[in-house]
Amino acid sequence: MFSFKSTITGPSFRHEVNHVLPENFWNSQRIVQVVGRGQLFAFQIFLQGSEDFVCALDEHNHISWKGLGKRIRMEVTGSTHTAKALEIGKRFIGYVKGDTGRYIADPLLHVSSMEVNGNQPQGIWICGKTPQQSSAAETGDLDISVNFWLQDRFAPEEKIGNIQIRFELKDFEFNSLRADKFFLDLWQHPCNWARTYEIPLWSEEHWELINHQLELLGEMGQKAITCTVSDYPWIGQECYLVTDYPSNLFEYNIVRPRKSKQGNLSCDFEIFDRWVQTAMDRGITEEIEIYGLMAVWKYNFSTKSFGNPFRDHDDALRIRYFDELGGRYSYLSEKKELTEYIRELVRHLKAKGWWDKTLVCVDEPREADRLSAWMEFLLEIEPGFRFKMMISKPELLTMFDKNVRHWALDLPTLIRAQKLIPAKRAEMGPKGKISWYVSCVPEKPNSTLSSPLLENRILPWLNFYFGMDGFLRWALAIWPNDPWNRPRFVYPGSREWEAGEMFLVYPGKSVRPISSLRLENLRLGIQEHQLLRAVSNLGRKCALQLEEKLKSVLGDKSAMRASGNEVSIPYSLKAESYDEVVSWSLARMEELEGGKSGRSRGRGV
């Protein structure tokens, strides 16, 4: 006799293959969520049968390669209006090998059917968005049913399970993430993308891949465009040291310089322009981040220098150019050539109308004592240069003043520098920004495969709690050689690169990126950040109440500590604690804003 069970849980639950779920896990057959208008939502549904079966997420006649057998079709229904209004999406949850050797749930697969082994749970990601403005939003409730239909060979389908989802709609309207103020900065590595898919650099196939990656980022509310204007500014993360797992992590210049037979330098900006415009067309418009003009890496974990082609400049920029006189490629080697290259870049950015968005970026400088001299060199060429600094040393925060428009502090530095930040904000003025990031450190909170999924969701909560402008991660995706089967990339003797450190999306069989539970939890947290910001603007009383609630789930800021590369933040790992804050916040928006106007007109800000 075939037996079947199903259950529903929240978006931050993470399953591992061969992990037996307790019987009480299967008790949840109904869930109620308090939501606003235009709010993203997500759940996980788990299925388990006593025998192998094929599970289908659509109405097509999927069967196993083994032939006819048991098939279970999952159907999401509601009123015709409700089903359409909620924009329901469904994805099977896949698994990848984590640091412990166990297979961990993360990728959201682009398949509509899957073979499920008997007595093994299989997760399905259900997501969507509530109506922005419609008659349905006035009713206060939306209900959907998730039905499971079993068909055994040629027999008619029979209904074997049902899960109910109710949305209690509050009259607060969320903005789209594209229009949100949260400054999201997930760096892009287009050369690595092309190598992973084995397609020619800057071919139309490559641009199609780029379009999909940037569209995903645009939907997330990405604000910055990663522009690499010299070769190998991160020296491929010293990938050449990892001989047991060869992975090419180098990024190349997207400007193509050439030197005429008369010795004059010019630049072809065709790739640069298309790259920037493609991003802007997808709503990524606030910052053009220039990497490779200052403080490029000579080394990372090792002490062996990658090399410097310049004879008279100690900032090891590597700028390959075509020499028309010799008919060959070489590297710029004189400071006067570098000066002309930089002037060409500046002239072009100004001519395109992009100059005011442009920041020269410095990523965790390895030679901090030389920063002032290198910055002065650039300012002598163009006094209007402005900079963005990613730092892991608090003392750097006090070294520079008006020329740095955007600071990004790693989390340990943010904890240590809390008392310095108000003065730095006042010094920078209204155009200045301060963001923060996690990378290979600290161990927690983080967004690797070993991190609790909830940490991805609460990263934007911490952003609000600390009063930061946004969050940075050094890669949407820079894939090692085999991210599906060996996602972990570790330097010899280093524990710091955990599985998932390098990417939040996976490469697929098509050029569409495959999202992850980690990225989608981050997306949900970014939208909740919008709600927290709106509540804090309701007045002093509400802001203080919210502060207390955040203290109860994230911990007291004054008690947070940093030790070396690690931090101590006593945040809760109970998803329901954060859900309660969201429900309270939506109720406050509806109550207080509605009291002013007769009905709520609350809106994300």
Side-chain angles (χ1 to χ4, degrees):
M1 174 70 72
F2 180 75
S3 63
F4 172 81
K5 53 188 176 182
S6 62
T7 192
I8 186 167
T9 188
S12 300
F13 175 79
R14 172 171 272 152
H15 180 244
E16 295 181 3
V17 171
N18 294 325
H19 174 69
V20 178
L21 298 170
E23 276 306 311
N24 62 3
F25 178 79
W26 299 96
N27 292 341
S28 178
Q29 302 298 307
R30 185 173 186 271
I31 197 165
V32 178
Q33 182 171 343
V34 180
V35 293
R37 291 183 279 119
Q39 182 174 348
L40 302 170
F41 62 83
F43 307 100
Q44 296 181 66
I45 286 177
F46 280 84
L47 316 176
Q48 184 172 312
S50 58
E51 303 172 25
D52 295 356
F53 64 92
V54 169
C55 184
L57 302 183
D58 59 25
E59 74 282 2
H60 298 300
N61 192 22
H62 301 284
I63 67 171
S64 167
W65 65 271
K66 303 171 189 176
L68 281 175
K70 290 182 172 60
R71 292 176 285 170
I72 294 176
R73 177 172 61 89
M74 191 184 82
E75 170 192 53
V76 180
T77 64
S79 69
T80 302
H81 174 82
T82 298
K84 183 177 181 180
L86 289 173
E87 303 178 22
I88 298 292
K90 297 170 283 186
R91 289 280 184 268
F92 284 108
I93 299 172
Y95 296 82
V96 291
K97 193 174 184 179
D99 293 313
T100 63
R102 296 193 297 267
Y103 283 83
I104 299 171
D106 194 47
L108 300 176
L109 306 176
H110 292 169
V111 294
S112 53
S113 69
M114 175 175 284
E115 295 187 38
V116 180
N117 293 330
N119 298 310
Q120 288 291 326
Q122 174 59 50
I124 299 170
W125 179 260
I126 304 288
C127 62
K129 187 174 76 169
T130 60
Q132 197 82 27
Q133 290 185 0
S134 71
S135 58
E138 309 299 326
T139 69
D141 292 324
L142 289 172
D143 293 291
I144 58 174
S145 294
V146 182
N147 302 314
F148 304 99
W149 296 88
L150 171 66
Q151 185 173 32
D152 193 355
R153 294 182 57 80
F154 299 110
E157 286 185 329
E158 60 175 308
K159 190 174 178 179
I160 59 169
N162 171 265
I163 289 172
Q164 296 291 321
I165 302 172
R166 166 163 287 191
F167 298 99
E168 294 184 356
L169 277 161
K170 299 295 183 182
D171 202 6
F172 169 77
E173 185 179 342
F174 285 89
N175 287 324
S176 74
L177 297 187
R178 291 184 194 272
D180 193 30
K181 292 181 180 179
F182 185 90
F183 197 98
L184 181 65
D185 185 6
L186 304 179
W187 294 0
Q188 305 104 55
H189 296 79
C191 298
N192 173 266
W193 301 345
R195 284 193 297 268
T196 299
Y197 279 87
E198 298 181 344
I199 55 180
L201 269 173
W202 313 118
S203 63
E204 288 306 312
E205 287 177 283
H206 189 197
W207 283 111
E208 184 182 359
L209 166 61
I210 287 168
N211 289 340
H212 287 294
Q213 299 278 5
L214 295 182
E215 179 61 29
L216 172 64
L217 282 172
E219 292 173 355
M220 290 280 298
Q222 172 78 10
K223 299 295 187 283
I225 310 167
T226 307
C227 298
T228 305
V229 299
S230 68
D231 293 295
Y232 345 120
W234 297 281
I235 56 174
Q237 308 292 334
E238 291 186 320
C239 56
Y240 43 86
L241 297 178
V242 189
T243 56
D244 70 327
Y245 189 24
S247 300
N248 191 332
L249 307 180
F250 291 102
E251 288 297 310
Y252 310 137
N253 193 351
I254 61 172
V255 177
R256 293 185 286 190
R258 62 191 304 118
K259 190 183 291 185
S260 71
K261 292 179 180 179
Q262 293 73 36
N264 299 319
L265 194 70
S266 62
C267 294
D268 179 351
F269 290 102
E270 180 183 358
I271 294 170
F272 181 96
D273 290 352
R274 186 171 177 182
W275 168 255
V276 172
Q277 193 59 56
T278 300
M280 287 187 169
D281 290 345
R282 281 144 188 84
I284 308 171
T285 60
E286 289 198 25
E287 275 186 5
I288 297 173
E289 297 182 341
I290 301 295
Y291 290 90
L293 280 191
M294 177 179 161
V296 300
W297 293 3
K298 293 179 185 176
Y299 52 86
N300 189 13
F301 286 98
S302 76
T303 57
K304 181 181 179 181
S305 174
F306 190 76
N308 180 6
F310 282 95
R311 296 188 288 266
D312 53 356
H313 187 50
D314 62 349
D315 196 355
L317 279 62
R318 308 160 195 103
I319 301 171
R320 183 175 181 253
Y321 71 95
F322 183 73
D323 182 1
E324 293 181 356
L325 182 63
R328 60 187 179 182
Y329 286 94
S330 187
Y331 286 85
L332 298 184
S333 59
E334 297 181 8
K335 202 171 184 178
K336 64 179 182 180
E337 297 174 327
L338 175 59
T339 299
E340 185 52 38
Y341 174 73
I342 294 170
R343 285 179 176 151
E344 280 284 298
L345 179 61
V346 170
R347 280 194 288 266
H348 185 74
L349 286 164
K350 289 181 176 180
K352 295 291 290 186
W354 295 339
W355 179 246
D356 289 342
K357 300 176 182 290
T358 299
L359 298 180
V360 174
C361 293
V362 177
D363 178 23
E364 293 190 346
R366 271 52 179 165
E367 299 168 278
D369 58 321
R370 297 293 299 145
L371 286 179
S372 294
W374 293 337
M375 184 179 286
E376 189 59 35
F377 167 67
L378 292 179
L379 290 170
E380 287 176 0
I381 298 171
E382 171 50 63
F385 268 128
R386 294 297 177 263
F387 299 85
K388 182 171 183 175
M389 291 271 194
M390 278 60 68
I391 62 170
S392 56
K393 298 176 181 177
E395 59 270 22
L396 292 178
L397 196 62
T398 62
M399 286 179 59
F400 306 98
D401 46 30
K402 62 181 181 180
N403 295 316
V404 180
R405 185 181 289 177
H406 196 156
W407 290 92
L409 287 58
D410 77 348
L411 183 52
T413 299
L414 172 57
I415 298 294
R416 293 186 178 99
Q418 284 186 74
K419 294 181 179 179
L420 300 175
I421 289 173
K424 179 58 67 175
R425 282 201 179 279
E427 175 187 288
M428 296 170 72
K431 289 188 176 181
K433 287 185 171 61
I434 304 180
S435 298
W436 67 291
Y437 63 96
V438 295
S439 55
C440 55
V441 294
E443 183 178 354
K444 57 182 182 180
N446 213 305
S447 56
T448 66
L449 283 169
S450 61
S451 305
L453 268 179
L454 187 62
E455 289 184 355
N456 296 270
R457 178 184 169 191
I458 68 175
L459 290 172
W461 288 60
L462 287 168
N463 187 85
F464 176 82
Y465 197 39
F466 284 118
M468 297 292 100
D469 292 296
F471 176 74
L472 177 153
R473 200 75 168 76
W474 71 276
L476 170 69
I478 179 170
W479 292 303
N481 189 55
D482 188 1
W484 284 97
N485 297 301
R486 192 175 171 183
R488 182 177 174 86
F489 186 82
V490 183
Y491 288 97
S494 172
R495 70 161 187 84
E496 294 184 299
W497 286 60
E498 296 181 350
E501 163 67 23
M502 302 167 66
F503 54 89
L504 291 167
V505 297
Y506 294 79
K509 293 182 179 179
S510 73
V511 292
R512 292 180 300 160
I514 292 176
S515 191
S516 67
L517 292 173
R518 293 175 293 140
L519 186 70
E520 296 306 323
N521 272 268
L522 176 63
R523 189 198 301 258
L524 294 171
I526 292 172
Q527 189 168 64
E528 290 166 342
H529 180 280
Q530 187 181 132
L531 175 62
L532 299 178
R533 196 169 62 241
V535 173
S536 71
N537 290 331
L538 286 176
R540 178 174 171 77
K541 181 180 178 180
C542 242
L544 290 174
Q545 290 175 331
L546 177 61
E547 182 78 10
E548 286 302 309
K549 288 187 175 295
L550 292 178
K551 186 185 295 185
S552 72
V553 294
L554 297 174
D556 190 334
K557 280 181 281 191
S558 64
M560 296 177 183
R561 298 288 182 268
S563 176
N565 289 327
E566 300 303 330
V567 299
S568 175
I569 302 178
Y571 51 85
S572 170
L573 284 175
K574 294 181 179 179
E576 57 270 22
S577 299
Y578 299 90
D579 296 340
E580 289 170 5
V581 177
V582 170
S583 296
W584 176 87
S585 298
L586 286 167
R588 293 292 76 71
M589 291 303 301
E590 185 171 66
E591 173 189 341
L592 296 179
E593 288 293 289
K596 295 176 183 178
S597 60
R599 67 179 296 275
S600 175
R601 295 292 179 184
R603 187 177 177 90
V605 292

